[in-house]
Amino acid sequence: MTERHDLMAAIDGDIEALMADHIAKRPTWYAHDLVQWEIGRNYNDEPWDESQCTISPEVREALVLNLLTEDNLPYYHYAIASGFGEDSAISRWTRRWTAEEGQHAIVIRDYLMTSRNCDPVALEDARMQTVTRGWDSPWTDPIDIFVYTSAQELATRVSHRNTGVKADDEVAYEIMKRVAADENYHFIFYKGIVSAMMQHDPSACVLSMKKVYENFNMPGTVVPNFRKRAAYAARAQVYDLRIHAEKVLTTVMRDWKLESIEGLTPEADEAREAVLAMPGNLIARAEKLERRMAKAG
Ligand SMILES: [Fe+2]
Ligand SMILES: [Fe+2]
């Protein structure tokens, strides 16, 4: 028995309770209710052309990046499922979570195909490249996994929600609002796991936060031309350094009451100070970047 195996066993009941709460609260929804099928046309009769697009190029890139990131779901499933026994509460959750995540790519793809807001050939080529490349999670310790997934789900919620708002399109708005709501339920679940872990080993959780947030990357980094696509998303104010600091890191720290956790080892106490300083440091970096961009026109 490893220390982490014991920790997971100790919070098994908490995970069951979080899952029951999630199932009771998350509304069931259907992609077909949200997609505007009546505007869809046959691509053989009427090939795609950029002039058919109705939303800005920046938001289109953000939508495609969000979709390709969702498309890589098999690897996210593997990253979590491979670490835990088939019969554990976390494995039952992971199967349920995977089923919910699957709908996100379905609805975003249906929207893009019917509204013609992306090149269908480029999209499929990029999907093939993304999923063929796969994704290796850098996190294998259960504490790191859930410290990461908490922030990652919240970041995804923010990114989907902003994409829907910036699309300036009623259908995209409703779809992305629905997907973002799902990501928020996932965030609440994973955040709850870390809260339960903190009851047993607060120092290990804080040390993990420092390690994970210092090296935080969204899983979409494996998408072809990620840097270019992310630059578009930043330009559309869908996601950038400042949003990461203000809407993601600050929120998780506040929700976990990081400042007032008691009983930390001196090393974890030092790590806490470093984590608390992260949003401010990131905002200073964002401001420097913003000044440089303003200067460059
Ligand atoms: Fe998702
Ligand atoms: Fe999610």
Side-chain angles (χ1 to χ4, degrees), residues 70 101 104 153 156 160 179 183 186:
E70 296 280 354
E101 287 290 350
H104 300 168
E153 290 282 0
T156 311
H160 283 322
V179 174
E183 310 297 16
H186 298 160

Side-chain angles (χ1 to χ4, degrees), residues 31-32 35 67 71 101-111:
H32 73 266
V35 176
L67 170 56
D71 276 331
E101 287 290 350
Q103 194 164 221
H104 300 168
I106 292 170
V107 73
I108 301 172
R109 178 166 280 98
D110 286 350
Y111 167 76

Side-chain angles (χ1 to χ4, degrees), residues 128-175:
M128 280 297 293
Q129 281 184 57
T130 302
V131 184
T132 303
R133 198 164 164 191
W135 181 71
D136 257 336
S137 171
W139 313 115
T140 51
D141 181 303
I143 297 180
D144 296 343
I145 290 175
F146 299 116
V147 163
Y148 176 74
T149 52
S150 307
Q152 190 270 329
E153 290 282 0
L154 178 57
T156 311
R157 175 192 101 186
V158 170
S159 169
H160 283 322
R161 187 80 174 102
N162 286 346
T163 306
V165 171
K166 301 286 177 185
D168 198 18
D169 171 302
E170 220 172 289
V171 178
Y173 177 85
E174 285 304 324
I175 286 174

